[in-house]
Amino acid sequence: MSTSGIAEAESTEIAPPPTEPIADPFVFNGETMPGMRDQVVTETVETRVWTEEVGAADGSPPRSPDRDPTYRNDPATPPYSAASPGSPPPESQQLSDAGAIIQGTLHSELERVQLAREVDVRAAFAGLPRVHSHWTHRYMKILVVGEAGVGKTTFIKNLFAAYASDPKFPVADTPARGARKASLQSAFQDNPESLCTEVVLQDVERRVCYHYRVQDTPAFGDGKDLDSDQAAVLDHIRACNQAFLDAEQDPGRRSPLASHPDPRVDACLYFFPPHTCRANDLEFARLLAAAVPLIPVLAKADAMTSEELAGQRARVARALARHGAQWTFSPRALAEAGAHDGPPFAVVGSRDMDLAVGRFWPVRRYPWGRVEALLTRHSDLPALRRLLFEAAFEDLKENTDARYLDFRRDQAAPGIVAVVTTPVRGLVKLAEWGFAVAAVLWLSQQAGPLLTDPKYRQRKLEDVREKVDTLATNVRETADEVRAKSANAVGTAKEAAQNLTSTTRDAAHRANRVLEKNVTSRERRMEQERRLRYESRPFWRFWGE
Ligand code: GDP
């Protein structure tokens, strides 16, 4: 159809079907996203032109091979059934009705009925019903974990760079760098929302609001209290599930659950520092992977050469696979996001913006060149963003739902240990109460006469005194007995010592005598040798020894 045809039709009294003004389909914080707008507006304009051309009289769009998969198999669809499947209707056919009206040739009742019938037939086969949808909200929450200074905050800033117009885009972080660890710890435990950065994107066309959230966590692995760092993050994941469960089961809830913010964690990005893959990191990654999909990130990729980066990538992937701690993306999602090298994803981040390139273009400048954080050749950050927020969005949400169902089942039906121990615990509690009641009864029985009857009280006191006397006598006798026994033991020990001394002295005497005997025989031997030497001396040796 030519555009002149439309212009001709519009010049008559017959107005074209009413069209809505074109809305900007992607809006971030009230601002249109340029790339997305171009893409979606093009589609909208095409749709509208198509509607003006051959749409039904009620304004509903015509059947289109692109929109309605059943179109090609439907022979009853006039007048396109004659056309080759998949191609738009011939121009002459589309213009026939409008041309007839314009030329004033459509006057007879029969023709009017025929045209009305044709319009009804078209409307009847106009495709799927088009329900006017309300706005829905979709949530994606990502946890960022790693040691202090590994580049988490910078990464969050750069991750949202595509959506933010302001280079000073605020990241939820503790402002005081001095007391960073302590303040992060307490802020995370008291109010994790204070470390959560959120962007909201509106897809006007599909009427969906996407809430992307990135939750910063306290620095991990500086060697002080690893266990409490780990426990805080794992508790947070559990608390998020619990919050969703509370909202789900809240009897006072007055709106559908779908309209409530979803606090559940969908994925965890674990930041490995360059060049190292420590046992602490692997252990924590293993614990996290049991709770959420774990996506390894190699931080500060620009600090490694290509060979070192390849080595680090392989080392981390191998170690995580050994620990069974790595979430597997579908090949479709990886291909769609253009993530050819990851996971692990090697990222570069920077707070330094190159304002000449665009409104938000983070770069790291060095004397020998520059690294651009959003350049696919330099950093996996753009691929990772596409993967998380677009290509693998539904996969991650499905996984979150499946994990949540497990969590809900565990909460609703405690394990076998609990099933066994709960009645036992109940019995123990009952016994405790029984003892307490019996003790109170006994005391009240005993205390009644004690308080009211002086004779009884006197008798009881004498009883007690007698018992105390007996006890004291017993103690005294026992002490005497112990003293006598210890004196006995001392005597025995002294006797044994004397015996030992005399035995030792005898042994010494005997040894002395043996020694003396040996000395005598030695002297005799020496004398004999001397005499022998003297007798066998040469004739000229006239002097003695
Ligand atoms: P966090 O403590 O983990 O939040 O780390 P920060 O985001 O505060 O970053 C700590 C320092 O590392 C800052 O000076 C950043 O400029 C720097 N940094 C962040 N990302 C990178 C990177 O990819 N490469 C290099 N070389 N430095 C980075």
Side-chain angles (χ1 to χ4, degrees):
M1 163 139 208
S2 66
T3 39
S4 61
I6 288 186
E8 203 179 335
E10 280 173 350
S11 66
T12 69
E13 303 82 17
I14 300 168
T19 53
E20 288 179 16
I22 304 167
D24 278 334
F26 279 92
V27 179
F28 166 68
N29 288 349
E31 189 180 336
T32 307
M33 309 314 301
M36 296 176 188
R37 179 179 58 190
D38 294 348
Q39 192 183 343
V40 180
V41 167
T42 308
E43 192 189 329
T44 313
V45 169
E46 279 170 11
T47 307
R48 194 142 51 87
V49 168
W50 186 245
T51 310
E52 283 170 356
E53 287 170 357
V54 292
D58 61 355
S60 60
R63 299 198 71 199
S64 150
D66 297 330
R67 293 180 174 276
D68 182 4
T70 62
Y71 169 74
R72 295 174 189 193
N73 303 329
D74 187 359
T77 310
Y80 316 138
S81 52
S84 65
S87 64
E91 198 175 309
S92 57
Q93 181 73 54
Q94 293 169 23
L95 269 178
S96 62
D97 300 340
I101 292 166
I102 294 158
Q103 290 154 22
T105 56
L106 196 67
H107 290 313
S108 78
E109 184 62 24
L110 182 66
E111 282 168 326
R112 249 200 298 278
V113 168
Q114 265 179 355
L115 181 61
R117 183 178 179 281
E118 198 161 294
V119 167
D120 280 349
V121 169
R122 284 184 197 176
F125 295 101
L128 296 172
R130 301 198 116 198
V131 179
H132 186 77
S133 58
H134 283 189
W135 278 96
T136 53
H137 295 261
R138 307 291 311 275
Y139 294 85
M140 163 73 56
K141 184 169 176 179
I142 292 157
L143 218 59
V144 175
V145 180
E147 67 174 31
V150 79
K152 300 188 293 294
T153 313
T154 313
F155 171 83
I156 297 170
K157 203 175 173 72
N158 291 189
L159 186 69
F160 287 143
Y163 310 129
S165 56
D166 184 3
K168 292 193 178 69
F169 171 69
V171 171
D173 193 8
T174 41
R177 302 283 299 181
R180 189 178 159 79
K181 183 171 166 61
S183 53
L184 261 177
Q185 277 276 14
S186 53
F188 182 66
Q189 273 162 15
D190 301 343
N191 181 18
E193 286 298 312
S194 66
L195 299 179
C196 190
T197 307
E198 176 173 357
V199 296
V200 182
L201 297 176
Q202 295 173 0
D203 181 347
V204 175
E205 172 116 315
R206 295 188 180 84
R207 304 189 134 244
V208 183
C209 232
Y210 291 98
H211 298 253
Y212 295 130
R213 294 163 162 191
V214 179
Q215 174 75 57
D216 204 352
T217 59
F220 168 74
D222 58 2
K224 281 178 205 149
D225 42 10
L226 296 181
D227 289 347
S228 76
D229 285 353
Q230 290 180 353
V233 177
L234 293 170
D235 284 351
H236 175 74
I237 296 170
R238 222 167 294 129
C240 289
N241 277 337
Q242 187 61 49
F244 194 70
L245 183 64
D246 291 346
E248 191 186 45
Q249 296 180 344
D250 180 10
R253 178 156 54 83
R254 307 192 71 82
S255 52
L257 190 63
S259 65
H260 277 250
D262 183 351
R264 296 172 299 175
V265 177
D266 295 295
C268 171
L269 298 181
Y270 198 98
F271 278 65
F272 286 87
H275 303 292
T276 54
C277 177
R278 298 170 308 185
N280 282 341
D281 284 322
L282 290 173
E283 175 59 17
F284 193 17
R286 190 182 64 76
L287 292 175
L288 284 166
V292 281
L294 185 112
I295 301 159
V297 173
L298 308 182
K300 302 189 178 177
D302 59 315
M304 292 179 275
T305 64
S306 304
E307 288 78 26
E308 285 169 347
L309 181 58
Q312 172 79 340
R313 218 189 268 274
R315 194 163 44 242
V316 170
R318 241 189 344 261
L320 288 177
R322 218 172 29 245
H323 283 72
Q326 188 170 304
W327 162 259
T328 315
F329 287 103
S330 70
R332 177 209 50 84
L334 288 172
E336 220 173 281
H340 305 299
D341 296 326
F345 298 99
V347 301
V348 176
S350 176
R351 293 161 190 250
D352 200 3
M353 298 299 142
D354 184 354
L355 299 175
V357 173
R359 45 186 204 162
F360 200 117
W361 193 257
V363 290
R364 300 194 70 81
R365 294 188 176 89
Y366 298 104
W368 52 87
R370 54 191 240 153
V371 182
E372 300 176 42
L374 300 185
L375 215 58
T376 317
R377 204 155 55 85
H378 292 181
S379 163
D380 290 340
L381 197 150
L384 181 56
R385 190 193 60 231
R386 283 194 294 270
L387 198 59
L388 292 173
F389 295 157
E390 295 164 33
F393 184 96
E394 295 297 349
D395 296 347
L396 287 169
K397 290 311 293 182
E398 259 176 34
N399 179 272
T400 304
D401 286 338
R403 277 186 295 108
Y404 172 70
L405 289 181
D406 289 346
F407 172 82
R408 198 175 62 161
R409 197 173 45 238
D410 290 349
Q411 296 299 107
I416 185 74
V417 175
V419 168
V420 172
T421 56
T422 306
V424 173
R425 272 209 304 273
L427 285 176
V428 169
K429 206 91 194 143
L430 209 64
E432 281 172 4
W433 275 103
F435 275 122
V437 170
V440 168
L441 283 176
W442 183 82
L443 274 177
S444 60
Q445 221 175 19
Q446 299 292 319
L450 266 181
L451 293 173
T452 53
D453 187 355
K455 278 189 191 159
Y456 180 80
R457 194 162 53 231
Q458 190 63 29
R459 210 168 49 246
K460 277 284 162 194
L461 273 175
E462 278 167 15
D463 276 0
V464 170
R465 200 173 300 139
E466 205 172 304
K467 276 183 187 161
V468 170
D469 282 349
T470 317
L471 204 67
T473 316
N474 282 347
V475 169
R476 208 175 307 122
E477 281 173 4
T478 313
D480 287 346
E481 212 172 307
V482 168
R483 202 176 309 125
K485 279 190 177 160
S486 56
N488 240 353
V490 169
T492 315
K494 212 182 277 177
E495 205 176 311
Q498 277 168 1
N499 284 345
L500 190 65
T501 313
S502 65
T503 315
T504 316
R505 202 180 303 129
D506 285 353
H509 280 314
R510 265 202 302 280
N512 214 10
R513 269 205 300 281
V514 169
L515 276 177
E516 272 171 12
K517 210 189 275 175
N518 283 351
V519 168
T520 320
S521 61
R522 183 160 156 265
E523 278 175 357
R524 204 180 301 135
R525 184 170 43 83
M526 284 173 69
E527 179 56 36
Q528 212 169 3
E529 282 173 1
R530 207 176 303 123
R531 203 175 46 246
L532 272 175
R533 264 204 309 278
Y534 182 73
E535 284 170 0
S536 59
R537 74 183 191 285
F539 68 93
W540 45 267
R541 277 275 302 266
F542 53 86
W543 64 88
E545 278 295 306

